Amino acid sequence: MFALIDCNNFYASCERVFQPQYEGKALVILSNNDGCVIARSNEAKALGIPMGAPAFKFRSEFKKHNIKVFSSNYPLYGDMSHRVMKILEKYTPNIEIYSIDEAFLKFEGFEYFDLMETGLKMRKQVRQWTGIPISVGIAPSKALAKIANKIAKKFSNKTGGVYCIDTDEKRLKALKWTPINDVWGVGIRHSKKLKALGVKSALDFVNLPDSWVKKNLSILGLRLKRDLEGAPTIQLEEFAPKKKSIATTRSFKNTITTFSDLEERITTYTLLGAEKLRKQQSCASAIYVFVRSNPFQKQAEQYRNGFTFKLPYATDSSIILNQYAINGLRNIFKSGIEYKKAGILLLGLTPSTSRQMSLFEKDTTKHSALMETMDNIHRRFGPHRMKLGSQDLKQTWKMRRDYLSNRFTTEINEIIKVK
Amino acid sequence: MNKQNKIIFFNPSQESGKGLVLAQEGISAGFPSPADDFKELRISIDKEVVKNETATFYARVEGESMKGAGLDNGDLLVIDRSLEPEDNKIAVCFIDGEFTVKRLKVEKDCLYLMPENRKYEPIKVTEDNELTIWGVVTYVVKKV
């Protein structure tokens, strides 16, 4: 049996643990730089605040409905996520941490255990130890566990936050209840195609002939169908797959107009990206640089452009990646534009160990030693301590985080105060 | 051809590489350190006060309401949320929009939050109060 554990409105719940005055109140969390809404409490959802709502457009709405706004506080969410996962790990050795707020657990040889009871215990313990409410969906396969979780959450009054699909009757009822676009792994494109054919629910999907599914949705579609039929087919991925591309992009607090300011930003993003690259032990074989103006500033001249460099050989050197990034920037920079956003993408990632050597390779071992030193310094003393010459040494660019709460669990000077 | 231009090969020496073996405890006049077998990890305060890492949180005391229990202004509290709140335990509570630290006093059908300072009144928790017992205090760290 599989269980999917999902933290309810995770970011909002993290904020509430340390600021219980917002329990039951509408609150939203904004993306990096306070750009748009990335998380909402149930109350904010009920008020009709959409996901991705641009903050500046909804400011009056927030005020009108007395919605509490938070900047995203990743040190806090990351630590709380780690605590939740640590507790879940006590229940089974087989766990797949699926995202910051979701995990699949596999219960093997637990046939004589009452998993419903285990689910309730898990929920109670996570809530007591961390303050985070979770929902638990239990079923014979991962795809069904996802559905069970949705039911547990949606009907929490009845289910107590835990739902188990353990009979065929329950399975069919659950499939009938689930719209096709809510099925795990069915993208917008596929669900449109399926809906056009009259496939509205997960049950309709399961009733399609195997051959049709395989032909139109590939072997992955067929595996999903098996999973929904109750035969576990999609397996637990206990090791997070390496990212196939790495992006570092930001909006600026104030617009930028000069090349040197943009150069500084691009260098910083490239260094951040390169560090992520080395952390997962990959090399990039291409780098994409882009800039754009502020589309909401209608009266200003609009401009957006990007440039991709195919590197002569895959590398993880910040120095080399940055040379190409800046060259790319030179190609797309246009003066007289008020730039609002820029970023880099590292593409064509290959494992560091299997990269091809090239005759004219400049990437020397000196670089890798230097990169390792840089990464170590950043790990020990915090980010941005060591910079390249093209980065601004005096000015530290600040992310816009006007509504940031304390880092209650990772900074001793920001812990809660009690009277 | 001139014979003097003949290439001469030098063979690498096979002699090197006989490095010394590092003796961890050193060789002190034929007798190993008698303490080597008794090496243990240094004392860790963290290990002593944090019994359950995933459920442990910290708070700073503000005010004097628990002076009698040794909780002074500015002290650091270690809170273990995995412990069940019980009568006579010191707990961090959230009551009516504010965090407070008090000793729990459980009476028949009634809960009191007891200060340990005469200048403060006990708080009787009624239906009108919104109370969450946030976590049980296990240690207090203070600067002397």
Side-chain angles (χ1 to χ4, degrees):
Chain A
M1 294 290 269
F2 288 88
L4 175 69
I5 283 77
D6 181 24
C7 302
N8 304 347
N9 307 319
F10 182 56
Y11 294 176
S13 297
C14 288
E15 298 289 352
R16 280 172 172 168
V17 171
F18 302 92
Q19 295 158 92
Q21 62 269 36
Y22 299 118
E23 203 68 61
K25 302 260 159 62
L27 57 97
V28 294
I29 287 97
L30 304 180
S31 60
N32 275 340
N33 255 326
D34 293 346
C36 56
V37 173
I38 52 160
R40 305 160 296 164
S41 71
N42 282 339
E43 297 76 12
K45 286 177 192 171
L47 284 168
I49 305 296
M51 199 67 167
F56 78 98
K57 271 192 177 174
F58 279 78
R59 204 139 281 156
S60 59
E61 199 89 346
F62 295 154
K63 213 168 171 188
K64 194 170 101 195
H65 296 296
N66 206 7
I67 298 171
K68 175 72 187 170
V69 180
F70 288 98
S71 302
S72 31
N73 187 343
Y74 287 110
L76 178 67
Y77 310 151
D79 178 65
M80 294 305 280
S81 167
H82 183 73
R83 288 170 189 256
V84 172
M85 300 305 170
K86 268 271 175 272
I87 297 171
L88 298 180
E89 275 170 13
K90 297 195 310 162
Y91 287 86
T92 171
N94 305 312
I95 177 166
E96 174 190 346
I97 297 169
Y98 189 65
S99 69
I100 194 167
D101 59 354
E102 279 177 290
F104 282 105
L105 309 189
K106 190 177 179 185
F107 293 100
E108 236 168 346
F110 285 73
E111 287 81 2
Y112 305 105
F113 272 73
D114 185 346
L115 287 179
M116 193 66 199
E117 202 178 295
T118 307
L120 287 165
K121 201 179 145 202
M122 218 154 30
R123 189 171 187 268
K124 187 167 172 258
Q125 190 165 62
V126 171
R127 180 72 199 234
Q128 190 190 335
W129 290 23
T130 67
I132 301 291
I134 61 170
S135 300
V136 184
I138 305 164
S141 68
K142 278 172 88 175
L144 286 171
K146 265 272 197 201
I147 293 178
N149 182 287
K150 275 227 165 85
I151 296 171
K153 195 181 283 177
K154 182 121 188 175
F155 305 104
S156 61
N157 288 340
K158 271 194 201 165
T159 60
V162 183
Y163 190 72
C164 184
I165 299 179
D166 50 3
T167 65
D168 219 39
E169 197 191 335
K170 279 190 192 170
R171 181 179 70 86
L172 293 171
K173 206 175 151 191
L175 291 181
K176 204 172 164 184
W177 174 79
T178 307
I180 187 66
N181 46 302
D182 276 358
V183 174
W184 186 39
V186 177
I188 296 170
R189 203 164 54 91
H190 283 320
S191 68
K192 265 189 188 156
K193 188 161 144 189
L194 288 163
K195 270 183 190 163
L197 289 159
V199 178
K200 290 195 185 79
S201 70
L203 187 64
D204 296 338
F205 175 72
V206 167
N207 285 335
L208 290 169
D210 279 1
S211 55
W212 188 92
V213 172
K214 196 177 170 187
K215 192 172 158 232
N216 290 279
L217 302 175
S218 84
I219 190 75
L220 295 174
L222 195 61
R223 285 170 68 194
L224 177 64
K225 183 171 181 247
R226 288 281 172 282
D227 238 38
L228 293 171
E229 283 164 351
T233 310
I234 304 171
Q235 287 307 313
L236 216 57
E237 285 175 26
E238 286 171 48
F239 305 99
K242 287 180 178 175
K243 281 186 188 151
K244 297 214 176 66
S245 67
I246 289 173
T248 315
T249 72
R250 299 274 191 281
S251 300
F252 314 133
K253 190 172 177 179
N254 304 311
T255 50
I256 288 180
T257 50
T258 67
F259 180 81
S260 61
D261 280 354
L262 268 181
E263 184 185 20
E264 195 282 331
R265 289 289 77 200
I266 290 294
T267 302
T268 300
Y269 302 155
T270 308
L271 258 59
L272 275 173
E275 201 166 326
K276 286 186 206 163
L277 191 67
R278 292 192 292 271
K279 206 170 166 194
Q280 67 162 42
Q281 293 174 341
S282 299
C283 286
S285 39
I287 183 165
Y288 172 76
V289 192
F290 78 90
V291 290
R292 76 158 166 74
S293 55
N294 187 357
F296 297 111
Q297 220 170 0
K298 296 248 159 57
Q299 69 280 14
E301 189 187 344
Q302 294 297 310
Y303 177 70
R304 60 164 68 215
N305 206 349
F307 194 91
T308 309
F309 258 116
K310 172 92 181 65
L311 307 178
Y313 46 86
T315 183
D316 62 358
S317 160
S318 295
I319 296 169
I320 291 179
L321 287 168
N322 192 49
Q323 282 167 4
Y324 283 97
I326 299 306
N327 268 331
L329 178 65
R330 255 184 216 116
N331 278 305
I332 54 174
F333 179 78
K334 190 176 155 189
S335 52
I337 301 292
E338 293 193 13
Y339 293 97
K340 182 68 183 166
K341 189 174 184 174
I344 60 112
L345 247 85
L346 299 172
L347 306 157
L349 306 193
T350 56
S352 313
T353 44
S354 67
R355 87 198 150 101
Q356 284 181 355
M357 297 302 259
S358 146
L359 184 57
F360 302 106
E361 195 158 323
K362 279 186 283 187
D363 202 0
T364 60
T365 43
K366 267 189 232 155
H367 276 199
S368 51
L370 179 60
M371 292 306 118
E372 208 182 307
T373 311
M374 252 175 123
D375 292 349
N376 281 335
I377 286 173
H378 289 164
R379 255 196 299 277
R380 276 184 62 188
F381 302 109
H384 309 302
R385 289 302 158 102
M386 223 178 139
K387 294 179 172 184
L388 292 188
S390 49
Q391 281 179 282
D392 196 328
L393 300 180
K394 273 171 269 149
Q395 192 180 8
T396 41
W397 285 80
K398 285 237 172 67
M399 243 203 285
R400 191 170 179 148
R401 289 194 287 200
D402 294 344
Y403 315 100
L404 191 62
S405 51
N406 286 0
R407 290 165 290 177
F408 297 102
T409 64
T410 54
E411 278 295 320
I412 191 97
N413 295 321
E414 299 183 14
I415 59 180
I416 57 169
K417 294 198 171 98
V418 297
K419 284 194 174 161
Chain B
M1 232 189 217
N2 193 340
K3 271 190 175 175
Q4 276 176 340
N5 272 352
K6 214 162 55 177
I7 298 170
I8 303 166
F9 287 97
F10 290 95
N11 284 323
S13 158
Q14 304 288 321
E15 298 292 305
S16 62
K18 282 186 187 162
L20 292 174
V21 178
L22 175 73
Q24 191 72 49
E25 62 281 355
I27 301 168
S28 56
F31 207 81
S33 161
D36 252 13
D37 290 344
F38 300 94
K39 249 186 224 159
E40 276 174 18
L41 288 176
R42 210 167 281 158
I43 291 165
S44 153
I45 291 289
D46 204 55
K47 220 167 150 187
E48 180 61 22
V49 302
V50 179
K51 299 297 178 204
N52 186 342
E53 213 184 337
T54 42
T56 298
F57 296 89
Y58 302 93
R60 187 76 66 186
V61 177
E62 237 179 24
E64 316 261 89
S65 72
M66 290 296 281
K67 214 173 169 47
L71 275 57
D72 292 306
N73 190 37
D75 285 356
L76 181 74
L77 301 179
V78 181
I79 304 158
D80 187 343
R81 287 183 55 118
S82 69
L83 301 176
E84 293 294 335
E86 285 166 16
D87 181 43
N88 213 33
K89 290 219 163 135
I90 293 177
V92 166
C93 302
F94 193 79
I95 184 161
D96 302 334
E98 202 175 55
F99 275 116
T100 181
V101 57
K102 296 287 177 288
R103 197 180 289 281
L104 303 176
K105 189 173 158 194
V106 186
E107 285 197 347
K108 226 171 51 177
D109 320 315
C110 193
L111 174 69
Y112 289 92
L113 305 182
M114 305 297 290
E116 299 208 356
N117 182 338
R118 279 203 203 127
K119 290 180 198 155
Y120 291 78
E121 293 294 316
I123 303 166
K124 185 182 180 185
V125 182
T126 66
E127 281 180 0
D128 297 333
N129 297 114
E130 261 190 65
L131 171 87
T132 312
I133 298 176
W134 200 83
V136 173
V137 176
T138 50
Y139 285 90
V140 50
V141 181
K142 60 169 73 239
K143 195 167 179 191
V144 288

